[in-house]
Structures are given as structure tokens and as C-alpha cells.
Amino acid sequence: MKTIILLALLAFAPSMRAQQIDLIANTDGRKTISLDGKWQTIVDPYESGFYNYRYQPSDNGYFKNAKPKTKSDLIEYDFDSSESLQVPGDWNTQSDQLFFYEGTIWYKKSFDYQRRSNTRLFVYFGAANYFADVYLNGEKVGQHEGGFTPFNFEITKLVRDTGNFLVVKVDNKRRRDAVPTLMTDWWNYGGLTREVKLIETSTTFVHDYLIQLAKGSRNRVSGWVKLSGDKLKQRITIRIPEAGITKTFATDGNGFAAIDFNADLKLWFPENPKLYEVVVEAETDQVRDQIGFRSLETKGTDILLNGRPIFLRGICIHEEAPLRGGRAYSREDARTLLGWAKELGANFVRLAHYPHNEFMVREADRMGIMVWSEIPVYWTIQWENPATFENARSQLTEMIARDKNRAAVVIWSVANETPLSDARLSFLKNLISHARSLDATRLLSAAMERHYLDATTQMIDDPLGEYLDVLGCNEYVGWYDGLPEKADRLEWKSKYQKPLVMSEFGGDALYNHHGDPLTRWTEEYQENLYRHQLAMLKKIPFLRGTSPWILTDFRSPRRPLPGIQDYWNRKGLISDRGEKKKAFYVMQEWYRELHEKGPDNAKDH
Ligand code: GCB
């Protein structure tokens, strides 16, 4: 009971929306200096660069980057003669010794920086998996928990013209109380997995903004702008030059301005993913972004994009680099993965099971692919632990902070396959209301489980369904649940009058491994499974989207079967080497039919 009250208090704390978010959301439109490339690293399985031999935090940890001053000095580490690792990049796929490593690695990068007067400097990390302690020139600047969201720290006062050293302790040890928890079905790739950069801003700058269509509207832009600095009261102009729009607002004493205006804009939809250049201009700063505008609602069991029903022809994707394996991090990786999704006929991707790198979302915006984005509240986390809730909540905040201006993002999802209990329901309800308080326009979902009412009736009645806009459901009929033809006998029911996205289904096949349709691991088994699945799915009256599991094979420590899995989950429609399996074409054919029946949105917008 106490936990529930505490969670409720945390979730409904006074609305401090913009103030809570200190992430510099748009780094694209800013002056940035990349710190990507080789970083010197020290592998530290016992964390002796952090703790002394009594296991107390040490004042003289590796973050001091100390050097012997005399020949008698005793210093037992040296970044400069240690091995290096490439950033961005996971460490597991950069060295055979680190393939299964879970623990701490210290990263060091030296740089010079002539900061101009009247500027501020931030260090920005696209992501560090999982826990990061950040130091500049021997001083701690901050720490961050969560492996898939960006964070930044101000270093204006610490940076010097020459000889800066930035040290980051990255620890990817799994923990029972963390998000995700100990058990997942993906590789725990550690390290500075996404880009690292310095961001220079003016003393008072545009920290963040939300510029989207108001909920349910196709011609009213609504949102806010937030300044950070010492001149908080300013005139703010929002310009959309191509649409001839110039609107002026004033920020209050907290640097906050609500914005609201009517605009006649070409709407974003998959077949015409129109993006406008939007300029946010303060007296002391200016930032540019490419923003699409579209409306999103549900009505009964329909999902409406720009007021018209749409079917989400999707595919799940892990952030696994195409062809080379390891964490994906680049624009090219995003283009390859989303290009394959397009080839499949998709207009929608479920980015599982954590927020992917920003290139994925930006490219989806450009390519006209709708996105489901989720946080790693996966399987069985500690529902009753307030710290676990706080952690999930801050990962949700950071995901929304980064991507709230992307038209492509249509769904925020708060959980995947979580077991029913009161504590879990209250945890997830609080996450949902938090998401709605940050962003009133997106649809909220979660990938739920279902149960059998009798041998042939599948029921969706998870109490969480009441709080979602779109029901997500994972099912493995034909793989974990019977053989493929079992799907022919099933009938689906739902307690809710809401749209359903079948957020996962599928089975494993090793590319080029052949046999009859009842032989596991063969392409023929997977192909047959997809045929039976599609026949079943077509009969579900409230189905409004599908995202089978999964676009490509991905690494998982839970999948050891020699010669078949070799630590890969083989449910990809495409192999880890980019080869398409037979089931790919079954899905492609259905998506082609669906597209012919109902194009992604009428052309008359
Ligand atoms: C699931 C999970 C997904 C797994 C998949 C599988 O239900 O959501 O993360 O990888 O099943 O292959 O078993």
C-alpha cells in the first residue's frame, strides 16, 4: 500500500514538465564537436579504479588520469599505453576477450577547446550502456543510469583551453533492480554505444521545445519553448518559412512559453512524409529542426492518421547492426534496416525493446515509416521497488524528450510481456499518466500477453488494456505454443473496444537450412508458420496492425544451440548476413495486398 501511495505521489507531482527535462533535445541544429573515434580504455572487472581495497569509493580513482611524476611514484594504471576502443561502438564486438564481458570499462579522451566568451559548453552522450560516471579533468560532472537514452552535463566551468581529459566509467553489469532487469533476450552490449559530442550554446539558449499539432487537430500547432540561462524573459519567434509562418511569444520568468497558432500545413503521412524547416528563434539563440505535422487518434477499434483509418504494416527491429553485428549506431545502419523494412512493404516499425539511436527515428521521419518506441520495462522487473520505478520513469522521460518532435513516432510503449499483478498495474498506470503529461498527442501502448478461455479462444483482457490507446499483444502460436496449424483453430476476443496491434509472432529459422514444414529451425517451418499466422490474423476483426518478430537475426546469450543458434535468436525474416528467408516473401506478399486495398493515406491532404 505504501509503495502505491509513493508511486502515485511520484507520478502526479506538480506538473514541472519542461523544467524536469534538462536534456538538450535537438543536437542536430546546434554547433557541435564530435568526440567520436578512438578512446583509451582500461578494463576494470574489480572496479579498482573506483573503489579502494576496503571497497570504499576512492579519491584517487582512474578518473584522475594520474601520471608518475618521479621514477619512484607508484601508479598502477596508464590510459595512454592501454588499448583503445572505437566510440561509438559496443565493446563486445571490438575484442574477442570482451565478447561476454559484463562489468566496468574506463574510457578516456583528451581534447583541447577554446571556449569563446558568452558561451556554455555541454558534453552529450547519445547513450552509454548501462551506468555511466562522467569526469572532466579529474572532477565528477555527473552520472547516468539507463543504457538507451541520451544525457548531457554542463562543463563550462571545468573546460580549459588545452589538455582536457574526459573520463567515463561505463558499467554494464546486469542488476535485479534495474531496467531492464537480469533476464532479457538480447545481448548486453556495453560501452559508449552512441555518439559523444561537445555542444556549444550561448549563455541563454533554447534548451527544449515541443512543436506538434494539437491532439485531434489538423491545423493547430501547439507546444512550448523552454530557455535555459540567466536572461529567461525573452521574445521567441517560431518560423516555418515554407508555410509563410512567423509567430511571436514571450517566455515567463522560468524561461517558459506556451505556443499555440493556426497553420495550414501539408500533413505528414507515409506516402508523403513532408517535413518543414522550423526555426526557433530567441533573442540570444536560434535553433533549426525538420518537423512533420500529422494528427493521430483512435476511434473505436480504428487508428486514425490525419483523420483516416490506417493499418500498421509493421516489423519489429532490434538495434543490431546490419551485416556486421553489434550495436547499430549510424545513419547508414538506420538506412539499411529501414530500407529492408520498406522492401518488406512496411509503413511501421516497432523499435524493440528500448529507445533506438536517434538516426533511426530521424530516418523514419524522412522515409515515411511510423515508429513504435519503447522503454526496457521487460518481463519481470521489480514492480514494488520505488527506485526501479524512478529509473523506468526517467528513461521514459528521456525517450520522449528526445523524440517528441518526430512525426514518425506514433506510439510510446511502456512495457513488454509483464506478468499480471496489482503492483505491476499501478507501476505501469503511473508510467502511462507520466507519458501523457509529457506528450498528449501520441498513442500509448504496451505489448501484453493473452490467455486461453478454452482450447480455441484467445482472450485479451489484461487490466492494463483499460489505460492504453492501442492494445499490443505478443503471441507465439506455432512456435512456443503448439505447431503452426494450431493457428487455424483459434478465435480472438478482446474485452476492450480498442485497436489491436499484434506486436510479435514468429519462429526461428536458420537461413538456407531446409527440410519439411514440420522440421524446426528450417526456412520451410518458418514459412509455414507465417502462412498459418496470416490466415488467423486476417480473421481478427479489431486487428489494426502487425509487427512480426523480427526483421533480422539478433544476438542473444539465451540461444546457445550449436550449429543453429550459436547465440543468435534466429527469428529474423532476414539473416544476420542480410539474406532473406522464405517467410520474408510471405509477409511481403500480404503487405502488398494490404497496401493495394488501402493506401497509407488518401492523397487529398
Ligand atoms: C518475446 C520477447 C522477445 C523475444 C521473443 C523470442 O516474446 O518479447 O524479446 O526475443 O519473444 O524470440 O522468444
Side-chain angles (χ1 to χ4, degrees), residues 185 353 378 416-417 476 480 504 549 554 559 569 571:
D185 188 25
H353 278 303
Y378 181 92
N416 181 78
E417 292 180 357
Y476 281 89
Y480 299 121
E504 285 179 31
W549 193 251
F554 61 97
R559 310 292 176 176
N569 182 315
K571 294 191 185 66

Side-chain angles (χ1 to χ4, degrees), residues 455-474:
T456 58
T457 316
Q458 293 281 293
M459 185 67 177
I460 299 173
D461 59 1
D462 182 332
L464 185 64
E466 191 182 327
Y467 305 93
L468 303 175
D469 301 309
V470 172
L471 309 169
C473 181
N474 297 352

Side-chain angles (χ1 to χ4, degrees), residues 42-44 47-50 58 60-66 76-77 79 106 108 165 167:
I42 300 174
V43 181
D44 187 13
E47 296 176 278
S48 40
F50 192 82
S58 157
N60 274 316
Y62 293 177
F63 47 88
K64 290 289 184 198
N65 186 31
E76 293 189 80
Y77 69 96
F79 276 105
W106 293 83
K108 191 216 61 159
F165 54 96
V167 173

Side-chain angles (χ1 to χ4, degrees), residues 2-252:
K2 248 195 225 136
T3 327
I4 294 172
I5 294 171
L6 179 61
L7 294 185
L9 285 176
L10 289 171
F12 300 112
S15 167
M16 288 172 34
R17 208 161 56 172
Q19 284 86 336
Q20 280 175 346
I21 299 165
D22 63 0
L23 181 73
I24 301 178
N26 177 20
T27 64
D28 254 26
R30 294 245 156 243
K31 181 177 175 202
T32 60
I33 293 97
S34 171
L35 294 181
D36 293 351
K38 295 262 177 231
W39 289 51
Q40 300 306 127
T41 54
I42 300 174
V43 181
D44 187 13
Y46 280 33
E47 296 176 278
S48 40
F50 192 82
Y51 297 110
N52 63 22
Y53 81 119
R54 301 280 184 216
Y55 203 63
Q56 295 302 311
S58 157
D59 294 335
N60 274 316
Y62 293 177
F63 47 88
K64 290 289 184 198
N65 186 31
K67 306 275 176 198
K69 291 195 183 74
T70 72
K71 64 183 178 186
S72 309
D73 279 356
L74 174 62
I75 295 176
E76 293 189 80
Y77 69 96
D78 178 31
F79 276 105
D80 296 321
S81 54
S82 296
E83 306 265 309
S84 61
L85 285 168
Q86 190 69 32
V87 174
D90 62 84
W91 63 55
N92 314 72
T93 58
Q94 294 191 50
S95 148
D96 288 346
Q97 284 182 342
L98 297 176
F99 189 60
F100 284 103
Y101 184 65
E102 296 184 303
T104 282
I105 292 189
W106 293 83
Y107 285 74
K108 191 216 61 159
K109 182 85 169 170
S110 298
F111 65 93
D112 296 338
Y113 192 84
Q114 275 82 49
R115 190 173 66 79
R116 292 172 301 157
S117 54
N118 299 324
T119 60
R120 291 165 73 182
L121 196 68
F122 295 82
V123 58
Y124 179 96
F125 297 84
N129 191 37
Y130 166 81
F131 199 101
D133 292 277
V134 180
Y135 306 82
L136 182 67
N137 300 335
E139 303 289 321
K140 178 111 182 216
V141 297
Q143 61 184 41
H144 180 263
E145 178 159 10
F148 303 97
T149 42
F151 52 98
N152 53 251
F153 302 112
E154 181 157 13
I155 53 170
T156 310
K157 296 212 172 91
L158 281 176
V159 74
R160 49 198 194 208
D161 287 358
T162 54
N164 294 288
F165 54 96
L166 179 64
V167 173
V168 190
K169 174 185 187 288
V170 185
D171 185 354
N172 76 334
K173 267 195 302 304
R174 284 169 296 132
R175 290 194 334 247
R176 182 70 190 91
D177 65 331
V179 180
T181 178
L182 294 173
M183 185 61 95
T184 70
D185 188 25
W186 67 82
W187 208 265
N188 183 20
Y189 291 119
L192 295 176
T193 49
R194 296 183 190 160
E195 52 183 355
V196 181
K197 50 197 176 189
L198 300 174
I199 303 180
E200 188 188 279
T201 68
S202 46
T203 331
T204 302
F205 70 102
V206 177
H207 202 140
D208 199 4
Y209 50 86
L210 171 70
I211 302 177
Q212 291 278 284
L213 289 176
K215 179 87 187 166
S217 170
R218 269 165 270 160
N219 60 6
R220 216 184 96 221
V221 174
S222 169
W224 47 264
V225 176
K226 174 85 179 76
L227 300 178
S228 162
D230 47 18
K231 188 171 185 285
L232 291 173
K233 283 191 163 184
Q234 293 199 29
R235 192 167 28 79
I236 303 284
T237 307
I238 309 288
R239 289 196 291 119
I240 311 180
E242 197 186 327
I245 290 169
T246 304
K247 300 281 171 192
T248 301
F249 303 89
T251 48
D252 63 18

Side-chain angles (χ1 to χ4, degrees), residues 317 461 497:
I317 305 183
D461 59 1
Q497 263 289 98

